Amino acid sequence: MPVLAAGLALLVTACSGGGGGTAATTGDPPSDASATAESGPKYTQFADFPGQAVVTTEPGLDLAIQVKAIDVVWTPELAGVSAKAGKHYVAVYVAVTGELADRGVQRAKIRYLQLRRNNTAGEKCDPYEPDKVPQYCFTEAYPASDLKVKVVDKTWREASWSADSLMGRNLDRGETAIGVVGFSLEDGANTDGLQLCGPTKEIEVDVDRFPCVPIPKPERV
């Protein structure tokens, strides 16, 4: 009997966990599912990109888009189009979303954007007043790309860009798209203080009154 009692005591002690513990109480190694999700492709939303947004729309359309410059580079070629001899493109990569958070935008395009630069060289660059030396010179976007809604962060320079279509792209409510516009400038052009501008529903053709936002100085690669 004493032997049996001792055996029962040992059995009870083992079952009570006395300092042991199961995998559930000590903790399994964390699953790698979350790590895999974090290391997957990332797509930054419009509001999370730094910088100011310009609200603009193609003349004749009612709903506008918000545009932010997210990267700027000096390049000899863009979207399969080579710059002319003695010139480069200021390629401005942009994030785009609808003007209003509660609705989408049909036929969104970026081809009507303009680049504004300080006229430090005293150019007569106003096509409507050819004898005038204005404070700023404006350059129209060419080439301009289609908008893509899935461009992984930091890969837009390597993406396969093609010229935009006349139909544009429909953006769903809250959707963020990426695109690129090129502005052809002389190789020796001053690229300090560049600004990205665009027309609005109220100001469709007067470039001097277009809303503008500053963009970074182009990186020369």
Side-chain angles (χ1 to χ4, degrees):
M1 289 300 290
V3 173
L4 179 60
L8 289 174
L10 289 173
L11 181 61
V12 171
T13 301
C15 291
S16 67
T22 64
T25 58
T26 58
D28 287 330
S31 169
D32 63 354
S34 60
T36 301
E38 290 179 1
S39 64
K42 294 182 180 180
Y43 305 93
T44 299
Q45 294 302 301
F46 185 85
D48 296 323
F49 280 109
Q52 297 175 253
V54 61
V55 178
T56 178
T57 186
E58 184 179 18
L61 296 185
D62 291 330
L63 289 177
I65 55 176
Q66 300 182 66
V67 179
K68 282 184 184 178
I70 59 175
D71 191 16
V72 185
V73 65
W74 182 258
T75 178
E77 186 179 33
L78 184 65
V81 181
S82 295
K84 294 180 180 179
K87 295 189 175 185
H88 273 67
Y89 292 121
V90 173
V92 183
Y93 295 88
V94 295
V96 177
T97 195
E99 173 189 17
L100 303 174
D102 64 347
R103 67 204 68 185
V105 178
Q106 293 183 321
R107 293 163 36 202
K109 305 186 195 73
I110 52 176
R111 62 188 301 172
Y112 50 84
L113 293 171
Q114 301 259 344
L115 184 74
R116 188 173 85 172
R117 56 192 175 87
N118 296 322
N119 188 10
T120 55
E123 300 176 55
K124 296 180 179 180
C125 56
D126 189 334
Y128 300 103
E129 298 184 69
D131 295 326
K132 178 182 178 182
V133 178
Q135 180 181 1
Y136 302 106
C137 290
F138 290 85
T139 305
E140 296 180 350
Y142 178 81
S145 77
D146 272 333
L147 296 172
K148 298 180 180 182
V149 296
K150 287 295 182 183
V151 180
V152 178
D153 284 6
K154 308 299 183 184
T155 65
W156 36 74
R157 291 190 188 183
E158 294 76 38
S160 178
W161 296 105
S162 57
D164 71 342
S165 68
L166 296 177
M167 296 302 295
R169 181 175 191 117
N170 294 340
L171 297 177
D172 293 335
R173 178 178 62 184
E175 195 168 47
T176 299
I178 305 295
V180 60
V181 284
F183 302 97
S184 179
L185 296 184
E186 299 286 343
D187 286 347
N190 178 23
T191 56
D192 292 325
L194 297 180
Q195 295 192 323
L196 188 67
C197 312
T200 66
K201 288 172 281 189
E202 297 77 22
I203 308 169
E204 295 188 345
V205 295
D206 187 354
V207 294
D208 289 316
R209 298 173 57 213
F210 283 178
C212 302
V213 292
I215 63 174
K217 187 179 178 68
E219 178 185 348
R220 297 182 183 245
V221 295

